[in-house]
Amino acid sequence: MSGSYCSVCKKKPSFFYRKYSGQKLCKKCFSESIEAKVRATITKYSMLKFDDKLAIAVSGGKDSLSLLHILAKLQKYRPKTSLTAITIDEGIKGYRDEALDIAEKNCNALQIPLYITSFKELFGLTLDELIIKLQAKGKTELTPCAYCGVLRRRAINVAARNIGATKIATAHTLDDETQTVLMNILRGDTDRLSKEKPITNYVHSMFIRKIKPFCEIPENESALYAYIKKITFQDTPCPYASEALRNDIRTMLNNIEEKHTGTKFAISRTMEKLQPAIEQVLTKKDFKTCKDCGEPTSQILCKTCEMLHQIR
Ligand code: SF4
Ligand code: ZN
């Protein structure tokens, strides 16, 4: 794009070509467009009330740190909305320690309080220990990410409750969201398909509602924002990152997007229209109390306890 000027300010040289909108943007206008998009998404889906106590799940990766920086900036427009970062230490040797350090440094620089809790503290063992035990018992049907995902969701919810949060922000991008839609369809998981929304429904007082202010931001733009703002983030991949189906879907979606610009947005818009119909056809589950941990669940044992039982 050298030699051409930013389509917005018309003054600075363009630095990024946004194929789906046809805009050429300079660094400043690009960053401002991401911040404006986050503000618009929060308003569009009524994600925040003026006095919400917002928790943000920070992993130390580019997406969560870009979101942290933007939400910290937005606080000046929402003085009554408090912001606290939550980081979960899953216990992945040589990987999570670096992420914790990065999360801490970013929070200190932005003066955002950081609440850290761990799998060890909450479930009695680290993810590394859990994987070793599962392997020793020959239970290898599910990937480490399947266990990690369930336990981390629980950990984030418990942490948010502990700090009195009324909403949890996660940095799921447009890419994460569209991959999850296709994954749920391919797995036939209509229940999860109905729950994946920019703001989750209120279902139980013990479940803190989640919001996804990045749900309309493509992943490459979240990375670019981090790069322009010189945000330090962790880019070493997790040693367990092997969720085969998601990887296949990511590659497929990126290939289709490359040839047919706007496919990811089209999936997101389709889901937005279908969501009310999907919710209507699914039978609402009644909540019971998990007999082991006391958390709400539709089964006798919640998914977290069911997984922990496999190794006990
Ligand atoms: Fe957990 Fe998988 Fe993410 Fe690693 S890649 S942190 S195991 S979900
Ligand atoms: Zn339980």
Side-chain angles (χ1 to χ4, degrees), residues 154 290 292-294 302 305:
R154 163 65 59 83
C290 171
D292 269 20
C293 68
C302 70
C305 291

Side-chain angles (χ1 to χ4, degrees), residues 59 88 90 92 95-96 119 127 131 143-150 152 237-243:
S59 65
I88 307 298
E90 299 93 347
I92 305 171
Y95 166 71
R96 198 36 100 199
F119 280 11
L127 187 68
I131 302 304
T143 60
C145 294
Y147 291 91
C148 183
V150 169
R152 200 181 43 222
C238 168
Y240 298 121
S242 63
E243 207 175 350

Side-chain angles (χ1 to χ4, degrees), residues 176-245:
D176 298 318
E177 290 305 280
T178 48
Q179 287 157 17
T180 306
V181 167
L182 294 193
M183 264 175 84
N184 287 333
I185 292 175
L186 297 186
R187 283 175 174 160
D189 195 338
T190 44
D191 197 41
R192 291 288 292 278
L193 189 66
S194 74
K195 286 182 193 156
E196 294 298 338
K197 300 164 74 167
I199 170 163
T200 56
N201 292 346
Y202 172 87
V203 287
H204 192 286
S205 61
M206 286 172 80
F207 289 133
I208 312 296
R209 295 178 76 188
K210 292 205 181 107
I211 62 168
K212 299 171 183 172
F214 266 7
C215 64
E216 293 181 4
I217 307 266
E219 193 177 312
N220 63 334
E221 297 197 12
S222 147
L224 197 54
Y225 183 89
Y227 164 74
I228 291 175
K229 295 289 174 184
K230 299 188 171 49
I231 297 170
T232 320
F233 60 85
Q234 185 182 38
D235 61 357
T236 8
C238 168
Y240 298 121
S242 63
E243 207 175 350
L245 182 57

